[in-house]
Amino acid sequence: MSFLTKISFKKWSKVTLLFCLLSILIFAVLNIIYPLKVNIEYSTIITDKNDKVLHTFLTSDDKWRMKTELSEISDQLKEAIIFKEDKYFYQHFGVNPIALGRAVFNNVVYGKRTSGASTITMQVARLLNPKERTYWHKLVEMFRATQLEWQYSKDEILQLYLNLVPYGSNLEGVKSASILYFEKSPQHLSLAEITCLAVIPNRPTSLRLGRNNELIKKVRNKWLKRFERERVFPNNIVEDALTEPLEVERHDSPKYAPHFCYRMKRTYPHLDIIKTNLDFEKQTVIQELTKNHVESLKGFEIQNGAVLVINNQTMEVEAYIGSADFNNKNDGGQVDGIRSVRSPGSTLKPLIYAKSFDLGLLTPKSMVQDVPLNYDGYAPQNFDKQFNGKVTAEYALAQSLNIPAVWLLYKIRPKRLISTLKQARFKQILADQNKLGLSLALGGCGVSLEEMCGLYSSFANQGIYTSPLFLKSDSLSQKQALITPQSTFLMTDILTQVERPDLPIVFAERAGLPRIAWKTGTSYGRRDAWSIGYNEKYTIGVWVGNFSGQGVPELTGASMAAPLLFEIFTYIDRQTKTNWNIEPEGLDYRWVCSQSGQVPEDFCEHKILDTFIPTISNNRKCTHLKYMWVSEDEKISYCTECLPSQNYQKKLYDNLSMEMLAYYRDHHLPFAEIPPHNPKCERLFEENAPKITSLTNGLQYYLDKNDNTELMLQCQAANDVEKVYWFINDRFYQAASATHPLFFTPTDHLVKVSCADDKGRNEDVRIKVVYF
């Protein structure tokens, strides 16, 4: 190399370096002044746990612009697009100088465009900000392309291209075309399908899938043969693609699980792809089961139903049926029955019993009273309007008796139950907590199916509550211990019993009955029918009724909701284990009196085995009988004050509460009644005073002045009382036997009613009377 050549080379090197530095400086300044803004609005996509598209939503400009994720760009798709659009995509910096020079030369020499110079990156720049094709706008594209290369990786730029490339009409992006034409995600496309989607963007108007399939097929095959010549893909794969037919048309966008998907879109408005835990197969089958079941109830004027399925092992929501038919506008099909607030009927009873076990109030074999009770005017009744007298706790829960449940809630206090429900995130309970009382036990509150399923899923997890998970990205919330594993086991053991009135008849006679714990409920006025069940794997909640709130005489949880529950369990977990309710540590067994469920006394003749929680369950000795001193002819009883020195005996008698005593007398049931107390005894007994049951202290009574309405006087008295004396406003009214009701017509606005027994004990109530 000569000396002059060396000087010239150095000079040009400096000029080139200076030009590059100056270009970089100009680019940096322009990049600051005109920053790149990539703000793409994508169509919202909802997917299931296996990434199947459940539902898609248009953008605000009514475009189907679905985001293709990097994981959805297969190698075949990448290679086909790059070979066709930009062979040197991975080598240039956004602008291909060689292609650009060739295009400029051809335009100057031939006076027309003979080859394109736009790289994939430049096409992305144009798609982000479409402008009329001029030389100036081409320069802007080049600048924007350089900015894109500066800020994004090559794969991300390719992703942007695949998301924005046009396919005619209101379709943009490979994923939109793939789903709406081929009904599959991009990663599942065949080479023939990929090639179709690769050639259409150059002529999106004339090459319209579903309209010009034959023309598209010809163009496709032309490019497939070119792929083969250039050995882009193996020959055998190309040959298969060439023979693949093209018989496609545009399909409607997926609209599965609409209630769930609309909820997810509202909850997560800024997510382009919402990846959920829903199971498409379960969702589809259970939706059809629900629709068919509700259809069979239309003759009873029952129009709707809802179902929620939670996987107890992961807490993932796998099926979400908000109504039987979303598209049925006549019956409120678009109402989301899973979130609607309804009365739960008897479905909170299991929690009441479990809390009672935890507090040591009773064990499964403990006896509870199913007799008329009155709590300051609230007098609950059983569903069948009948009373059963003395029953075990497990029988009362299995038979869903109302009165024992209210009695237990009275014992544990409503505030304790409300506190537990607040832990389980019952929103309406939280809002109404100061208004709620004993009617909670029978559905006197507002709950949603979602909340109830969350509660019952804790029963399947040893009493530990965690919120249901809707998204794949969700993590388990902080665990809340609602009840102990021991009480959970005892309660679940009762709920798995099949000798119950709420077992659907059709399943009672069917082999292979799913082994589940379940509870049904029917709200007041027969507006809501519930059936919620669980086993080791799943919790399933079913609600049936009318979104309008219309009651139906035939509507009950056992007859209308439970059959669907068992149908779903039969489908979803046919092979469930029969012994999934494993007994935890901390339980033990003991013999108890069959008449009381208490620790036996010497007089207890029949004993049964009971499960209890050591140090928690009460150890009271049996009191179903008690010893009394009575005269030799057993007509008079004595106390320590009046016990004679001779001519008496000690004998066992039934020890009944006043409520049980009244029940036995009203139903003429035999029992060993304690004789009347010694009339000569001067001791004053303060306990066991008569209890006025027909009137409630402090209440206001409205009476029709033209109807001569009378108020009833009735009481419960101890078994040694023969006669009671009634007083109205401190004036003697009438004497009667303890079990005989009287009637009177109030004459004053403020009325004091007094009842005294023949032992000198009395009770007063004060009421207000309003005539209209």
Side-chain angles (χ1 to χ4, degrees):
M1 183 180 293
S2 66
F3 178 73
L4 292 175
T5 303
K6 289 183 178 180
I7 293 176
S8 178
F9 177 76
K10 289 182 178 179
K11 181 180 179 181
W12 280 107
S13 297
K14 289 181 179 179
V15 170
T16 303
L17 179 61
L18 183 62
F19 176 77
C20 292
L21 292 174
L22 185 61
S23 298
I24 293 172
L25 179 61
I26 293 172
F27 172 77
V29 172
L30 291 175
N31 188 52
I32 295 173
I33 299 174
Y34 304 105
L36 178 67
K37 296 179 180 179
V38 178
N39 185 21
I40 305 172
E41 181 191 358
Y42 291 107
S43 300
T44 302
I45 300 174
I46 318 289
T47 63
D48 82 337
K49 65 191 306 178
N50 298 313
D51 296 324
K52 178 176 177 60
V53 176
L54 296 172
H55 210 295
T56 56
F57 296 88
L58 285 165
T59 61
S60 59
D61 57 350
D62 291 330
K63 293 290 182 65
W64 290 115
R65 190 184 298 120
M66 304 180 196
K67 185 175 182 179
T68 304
E69 296 186 283
L70 289 171
S71 61
E72 294 178 307
I73 304 174
S74 65
D75 290 339
Q76 283 188 345
L77 177 59
K78 182 186 297 185
E79 291 168 9
I81 293 294
I82 290 175
F83 179 81
K84 182 181 177 302
E85 296 294 332
D86 189 357
K87 293 181 182 179
Y88 302 100
F89 175 66
Y90 283 103
Q91 283 74 48
H92 60 66
F93 57 90
V95 178
N96 187 337
I98 298 174
L100 183 63
R102 183 177 66 246
V104 171
F105 176 80
N106 289 337
N107 285 345
V108 172
V109 172
Y110 299 106
K112 62 180 181 178
R113 180 184 176 188
T114 59
S115 63
S118 291
T119 63
I120 286 177
T121 314
M122 291 172 65
Q123 291 184 61
V124 171
R126 183 171 65 252
L127 291 168
L128 285 171
N129 190 19
K131 297 287 185 181
E132 182 184 354
R133 295 196 177 192
T134 64
Y135 289 114
W136 169 250
H137 289 154
K138 182 64 70 173
L139 288 173
V140 173
E141 281 180 23
M142 294 166 60
F143 170 65
R144 293 301 188 191
T146 308
Q147 286 181 304
L148 284 166
E149 295 280 347
W150 181 267
Q151 296 185 26
Y152 294 91
S153 69
K154 287 289 186 179
D155 286 344
E156 289 172 334
I157 293 171
L158 179 61
Q159 181 188 20
L160 285 171
Y161 173 79
L162 294 175
N163 286 334
L164 296 172
V165 65
Y167 283 96
S169 185
N170 64 340
L171 266 68
E172 293 183 7
V174 165
K175 190 167 186 175
S176 300
S178 177
I179 289 174
L180 296 181
Y181 283 117
F182 297 107
E183 296 187 296
K184 61 178 75 172
S185 295
Q187 71 268 34
H188 300 304
L189 292 170
S190 67
L191 178 58
E193 293 165 341
I194 288 172
T195 308
C196 285
L197 297 183
V199 301
I200 291 174
N202 297 118
R203 298 160 59 186
T205 303
S206 60
L207 298 180
R208 182 77 66 84
L209 282 167
R211 293 184 183 178
N212 312 106
N213 287 353
E214 285 303 316
L215 178 59
I216 295 172
K217 186 176 179 181
K218 289 179 181 179
V219 180
R220 179 200 75 179
N221 290 348
K222 174 185 172 182
W223 275 97
L224 283 170
K225 290 175 182 177
R226 190 170 176 181
F227 291 156
E228 187 176 30
R229 287 196 304 271
E230 299 290 336
R231 297 186 178 183
V232 179
F233 302 105
N235 289 348
N236 62 323
I237 296 178
V238 175
E239 290 300 324
D240 289 341
L242 284 167
T243 61
E244 186 174 310
L246 182 61
E247 298 174 353
V248 297
E249 60 182 1
R250 181 163 174 173
H251 301 277
D252 291 332
S253 62
K255 286 180 170 53
Y256 302 107
H259 295 92
F260 175 77
C261 292
Y262 275 102
R263 175 178 177 179
M264 292 300 102
K265 179 172 171 57
R266 287 193 297 268
T267 306
Y268 306 100
H270 303 300
L271 292 181
D272 301 319
I273 302 177
I274 303 175
K275 299 182 178 182
T276 75
N277 293 317
L278 220 66
D279 186 308
F280 172 75
E281 181 181 343
K282 292 186 178 74
Q283 174 74 22
T284 305
V285 174
I286 295 172
Q287 177 73 66
E288 192 64 21
L289 289 174
T290 305
K291 185 176 182 179
N292 293 340
H293 179 72
V294 172
E295 192 65 32
S296 71
L297 304 179
K298 291 289 180 72
F300 298 102
E301 296 187 358
I302 298 170
Q303 309 295 342
N304 243 305
V307 177
L308 185 67
V309 178
I310 298 175
N311 185 316
N312 292 326
Q313 297 167 341
T314 63
M315 290 307 298
E316 296 172 355
V317 173
E318 294 193 354
Y320 188 111
I321 289 83
S323 73
D325 184 1
F326 181 83
N327 296 315
N328 189 342
K329 297 180 180 179
N330 295 328
D331 298 322
Q334 295 183 13
V335 174
D336 188 347
I338 289 174
R339 305 182 76 186
S340 300
V341 176
R342 320 288 297 190
S343 164
S346 298
T347 53
L348 289 176
K349 288 177 183 176
L351 182 61
I352 295 173
Y353 279 82
K355 298 298 286 186
S356 301
F357 293 147
D358 276 336
L359 293 171
L361 294 179
L362 75 167
T363 57
K365 301 297 183 184
S366 295
M367 287 293 174
V368 293
Q369 297 181 157
D370 183 31
V371 296
L373 295 174
N374 189 302
Y375 301 93
D376 293 330
Y378 178 54
Q381 289 185 320
N382 287 323
F383 189 78
D384 60 3
K385 311 295 186 192
Q386 302 298 314
F387 303 99
N388 297 273
K390 192 163 56 173
V391 296
T392 63
E394 65 178 355
Y395 179 89
L397 176 56
Q399 299 294 314
S400 194
L401 300 180
N402 290 342
I403 296 170
V406 175
W407 177 76
L408 283 175
L409 183 57
Y410 175 79
K411 291 290 185 182
I412 68 174
R413 301 300 184 220
K415 286 185 177 180
R416 182 175 275 111
L417 183 68
I418 292 169
S419 176
T420 301
L421 294 173
K422 285 162 59 179
Q423 283 183 280
R425 303 186 181 183
F426 279 65
K427 295 179 181 178
Q428 196 63 41
I429 296 289
L430 175 62
D432 297 338
Q433 59 183 314
N434 295 324
K435 309 174 187 176
L436 301 176
L438 294 177
S439 62
L440 263 172
L442 308 183
C445 58
V447 303
S448 69
L449 182 59
E450 180 180 331
E451 292 166 343
M452 292 304 300
C453 287
L455 174 65
Y456 274 62
S457 69
S458 73
F459 299 162
N461 287 289
Q462 296 193 318
I464 304 299
Y465 173 84
T466 52
S467 298
L469 306 180
F470 292 97
L471 303 189
K472 282 185 175 183
S473 58
D474 286 345
S475 56
L476 290 173
S477 61
Q478 185 177 359
K479 297 181 178 180
Q480 296 279 352
L482 305 183
I483 49 180
T484 66
Q486 293 77 24
S487 67
T488 304
F489 171 82
L490 296 177
M491 178 262 293
T492 298
D493 192 51
I494 296 171
L495 294 183
T496 55
Q497 296 178 10
V498 296
E499 298 296 328
R500 293 162 51 179
D502 56 352
L503 175 65
I505 297 175
V506 65
F507 284 91
E509 300 171 352
R510 183 184 296 184
L513 182 70
R515 172 73 171 175
I516 63 171
W518 85 98
K519 182 74 185 72
T520 60
T522 307
S523 68
Y524 179 77
R526 306 212 178 190
R527 296 180 175 91
D528 308 279
W530 301 78
S531 188
I532 309 173
Y534 61 95
N535 62 12
E536 183 181 34
K537 294 182 181 179
Y538 296 101
T539 293
I540 301 175
V542 174
W543 172 88
V544 172
N546 294 310
F547 289 140
S548 65
Q550 176 188 348
V552 177
E554 296 83 6
L555 185 69
T556 66
S559 63
M560 302 300 182
L564 180 56
L565 175 75
F566 278 82
E567 195 74 46
I568 295 172
F569 260 113
T570 300
Y571 153 70
I572 205 172
D573 196 21
R574 188 184 301 271
Q575 304 299 325
T576 186
K577 295 186 296 185
T578 58
N579 59 340
W580 56 269
N581 187 32
I582 307 300
E583 181 178 321
E585 295 182 357
L587 287 174
D588 207 343
Y589 297 87
R590 66 185 180 188
W591 293 101
V592 296
C593 175
S594 63
Q595 296 298 311
S596 66
Q598 296 174 322
V599 178
E601 269 283 11
D602 295 339
F603 50 71
C604 297
E605 298 179 355
H606 302 287
K607 302 173 185 176
I608 53 176
L609 196 62
D610 191 16
T611 313
F612 75 107
I613 308 175
T615 74
I616 299 296
S617 301
N618 73 72
N619 291 311
R620 288 193 295 270
K621 292 282 188 177
C622 180
T623 57
H624 87 279
L625 297 177
K626 69 176 179 179
Y627 284 103
M628 294 294 298
W629 289 300
V630 297
S631 60
E632 290 182 338
D633 58 6
E634 300 181 19
K635 292 183 178 180
I636 295 176
S637 62
Y638 302 107
C639 65
T640 54
E641 294 292 327
C642 63
L643 182 65
S645 58
Q646 57 186 359
N647 299 327
Y648 68 89
Q649 59 177 319
K650 189 177 183 181
K651 189 176 179 180
L652 283 169
Y653 288 90
D654 288 312
N655 186 21
L656 303 175
S657 66
M658 292 175 62
E659 294 83 5
M660 283 299 300
L661 181 62
Y663 174 79
Y664 272 63
R665 285 173 172 171
D666 290 344
H667 291 76
H668 308 290
L669 299 176
F671 67 101
E673 186 171 3
I674 300 173
H677 192 67
N678 181 10
K680 298 180 180 179
C681 179
E682 298 180 355
R683 179 182 177 184
L684 180 64
F685 293 90
E686 295 182 358
E687 67 274 11
N688 294 328
K691 182 178 181 181
I692 299 174
T693 58
S694 58
L695 300 172
T696 301
N697 190 52
L699 284 191
Q700 190 163 275
Y701 292 81
Y702 291 84
L703 305 180
D704 186 349
K705 59 184 178 182
N706 298 319
D707 197 29
N708 295 321
T709 307
E710 294 182 312
L711 295 179
M712 185 171 68
L713 301 175
Q714 192 169 31
C715 71
Q716 290 178 348
N719 65 348
D720 59 347
V721 174
E722 292 185 350
K723 185 174 290 190
V724 293
Y725 304 88
W726 293 96
F727 296 82
I728 308 298
N729 287 334
D730 295 326
R731 295 181 180 179
F732 177 69
Y733 177 68
Q734 194 172 333
S737 68
T739 59
H740 182 67
L742 299 176
F743 294 87
F744 80 103
T745 300
T747 57
D748 299 314
H749 174 59
L750 299 176
V751 181
K752 174 185 176 184
V753 177
S754 305
C755 179
D757 64 16
D758 51 19
K759 303 295 182 288
R761 299 166 295 199
N762 75 288
E763 182 183 60
D764 300 330
V765 298
R766 289 174 170 81
I767 62 172
K768 294 180 181 179
V769 176
V770 177
Y771 282 99
F772 62 91

